[in-house]
Amino acid sequence: MPLMYSQRLRNGSPLLLGAIAAVLLANTAQAQSSSEANASSSVGSGIQTSVFGHLPDGRQVDVYQLTNANGIELRVTNYGGIILSLKTPDMDGKFDDIALGFDSLEAYLSDEYRQANPYFGAIIGRYGNRIAGGQFSLDGETYSLATNDGSNHLHGGDQGFDKVLWQAEPFESDAGNGLVLRYTSEDGEEGYPGKLESEVTYTLTDNDELMVDYRAVTDKATPINLTQHSYFNLKGEGSDTILDHQLMINAPEFTPVNDTLIPTGEIRSVEGTPFDFTQATPIGERIEQENEQLAFGGGYDHNFVLARDNAASDELVLAAKVWEPQSGRLVEITTTEPAIQFYSGNFLNGDLTGKQGQAYGHRSGFALETQHYPDSPNQEAFPSTILEPGETYRSRTVYRFSAQQDLGS
Ligand code: GLA
């Protein structure tokens, strides 16, 4: 039975949250304010809180370490909601950190990092991916956003949700150990209309899942497209490329782009193209083929339209699977979102050095970002990304980590 989850609730339709509501309520009751976090405290087995550093304006940034019953360990900071590390076992039970990132807050605040802007591990908002020309019209008004990616707006602007301090509450619940992050984006922030109150919950379950729940409300109509920008290398971060990882994307179609990576509006079948990942295929197998779309992206950097069949918009469906043959590690991603951006780490160029002291080279990590389509505010035929006052934006993505000798079917 697929897990039901209510994604967009319109005009006071009854809340279908069921068990999840109960979990969230329990979470709130058990939550401990991040202001109580000090040098190194624990909120019980499985969650440890410590100080990560301070922002230039003096605000304290914390790090939360969540561990599940099988020893999987996730470290998250409330700066940008960034996943700093994720340790999972390979098929021999050996744990490695599979998430690209850094050990210090300074590294995330550095000029080198801000220039390269890979968004390692971060929450992306208010709008994941690009908005053409940094402009859109809504209810007869034109809004101008930062053009922080050539002539386009990318990942929420100059100071998107990846570069703000979130208010954090760790919790332990029947669902797992977790962290609720809250951020209020003021009306006009980064050019967007409406005061947006957003909440992202990370839950690490004993079923070896990382569950990411997004929720937001606004006081004026606004575009919204929240996602998570973790890069994984299933051999362990700091290893060589991800080109031998086998990828399956449950997508019969993708949205081709122009040379600035804005969708043309076409929804194209993947059949017979290097974008056909409906059967697991090594990422590197076709990445160097002569193909206009691959040339525009410098590799894969495209939005794939998921096969949701008749699934309700609030139902989790399989989006992608990635398996790495040496370690046997497998990640399976399910989501309530209609699409996923597959980015093969084409802009990584060895300039940034990660946790093992290894440079993050070209295509040494991949990102799979569940989302609505890029540039939807300017593309009427795409599913709407407009959140109206009185509605609640809800989205869920689940990553399940395991290891096995072969991928099977
Ligand atoms: C997304 C974009 C890419 C790139 C990365 C971050 O995946 O589509 O073009 O900007 O984020 O480097």
Side-chain angles (χ1 to χ4, degrees):
M1 231 321 247
L3 180 55
M4 295 294 292
Y5 196 68
S6 189
Q7 187 181 19
R8 268 158 210 270
L9 299 168
R10 308 227 174 238
N11 302 331
S13 45
L15 296 182
L16 298 170
L17 296 180
I20 290 148
V23 166
L24 288 177
L25 286 173
N27 293 348
T28 312
Q30 291 176 15
Q32 173 177 322
S33 157
S34 68
S35 62
E36 291 166 38
N38 46 42
S40 184
S41 65
S42 168
V43 294
S45 68
I47 306 180
Q48 292 199 334
T49 306
S50 54
V51 176
F52 195 38
H54 292 84
L55 295 175
D57 64 10
R59 282 177 300 162
Q60 179 178 309
V61 178
D62 294 320
V63 52
Y64 301 84
Q65 180 174 311
L66 316 180
T67 312
N68 81 352
N70 305 317
I72 291 186
E73 181 202 286
L74 173 76
R75 292 176 74 242
V76 179
T77 171
N78 57 336
Y79 175 71
I82 294 172
I83 291 181
L84 301 170
S85 66
L86 177 62
K87 293 184 183 154
T88 73
D90 68 7
M91 58 190 166
D92 300 321
K94 179 177 164 283
F95 282 75
D96 272 308
D97 181 357
I98 60 169
L100 275 61
F102 307 111
D103 279 328
S104 74
L105 178 62
E106 288 67 37
Y108 289 97
L109 299 175
S110 71
D111 289 344
E112 295 100 285
Y113 184 74
R114 291 183 77 108
Q115 267 154 31
N117 230 349
Y119 302 89
F120 285 158
I123 295 168
I124 304 295
R126 202 179 279 201
Y127 198 92
N129 214 278
R130 292 174 177 77
I131 296 179
Q135 281 214 337
F136 66 92
S137 295
L138 184 57
D139 298 335
E141 260 194 65
T142 299
Y143 294 91
S144 289
L145 311 170
T147 46
N148 57 329
D149 183 62
S151 58
N152 299 321
H153 177 80
L154 176 66
H155 290 335
D158 291 330
Q159 180 157 311
F161 289 9
D162 60 298
K163 293 185 186 66
V164 298
L165 189 62
W166 294 66
Q167 192 218 326
E169 281 183 17
F171 65 85
E172 290 175 48
S173 71
D174 288 346
N177 296 322
L179 186 69
V180 184
L181 295 165
R182 292 192 185 88
Y183 177 67
T184 300
S185 170
E186 294 300 335
D187 186 9
E189 188 177 288
E190 291 292 331
Y192 287 98
K195 174 175 166 182
L196 184 82
E197 290 174 62
S198 52
E199 191 177 282
V200 177
T201 304
Y202 292 119
T203 309
L204 181 63
T205 76
D206 287 340
N207 193 27
D208 299 344
E209 295 154 322
L210 170 61
M211 211 151 66
V212 188
D213 287 292
Y214 306 84
R215 185 186 162 280
V217 291
T218 186
D219 63 2
K220 278 187 201 157
T222 179
I224 179 170
N225 194 23
L226 303 182
T227 189
Q228 220 296 330
H229 208 305
S230 280
Y231 291 62
F232 297 116
N233 185 320
L234 300 181
K235 256 181 240 161
E237 61 84 29
S239 305
D240 57 4
T241 74
I242 43 78
L243 297 174
D244 58 349
H245 288 45
Q246 295 198 20
L247 170 67
M248 191 284 294
I249 309 180
N250 185 21
E253 293 163 323
F254 75 112
T255 52
V257 288
N258 67 18
D259 62 355
T260 72
L261 300 185
I262 294 293
T264 60
E266 182 189 346
I267 296 180
R268 187 182 291 175
S269 166
V270 296
E271 214 183 309
T273 79
F275 293 83
D276 189 347
F277 284 98
T278 53
Q279 304 292 320
T281 309
I283 290 173
E285 193 167 292
R286 300 161 299 181
I287 202 167
E288 298 298 350
Q289 276 184 15
E290 237 175 86
N291 175 284
E292 189 184 51
Q293 286 300 312
L294 287 173
F296 287 160
Y300 296 102
D301 193 351
H302 292 80
N303 174 65
F304 287 73
V305 177
L306 298 173
R308 294 194 58 91
D309 300 321
N310 293 321
S313 62
D314 54 3
E315 205 175 298
L316 286 172
V317 300
L318 180 64
K321 287 187 193 190
V322 191
W323 179 72
E324 193 282 305
Q326 269 175 42
S327 64
R329 286 197 183 86
L330 172 69
V331 53
E332 291 162 282
I333 303 175
T334 53
T335 188
T336 58
E337 285 296 311
I340 195 165
Q341 183 84 9
F342 168 43
Y343 169 59
S344 52
N346 312 308
F347 295 122
L348 299 176
N349 61 6
D351 280 358
L352 299 171
T353 298
K355 289 167 277 190
Q356 311 278 340
Q358 302 289 334
Y360 287 138
H362 192 219
R363 300 177 178 156
S364 59
F366 67 86
L368 283 164
E369 306 149 61
T370 53
Q371 61 183 9
H372 273 57
Y373 310 176
D375 198 35
S376 297
N378 292 308
Q379 310 242 7
E380 281 195 3
F382 287 178
S384 172
T385 51
I386 305 301
L387 178 71
E388 301 282 347
E391 296 177 349
T392 301
Y393 168 91
R394 289 180 193 279
S395 172
R396 169 176 277 192
T397 295
V398 180
Y399 308 75
R400 179 155 200 279
F401 302 96
S402 58
Q404 57 192 52
Q405 212 137 24
D406 53 59
L407 185 52
S409 53

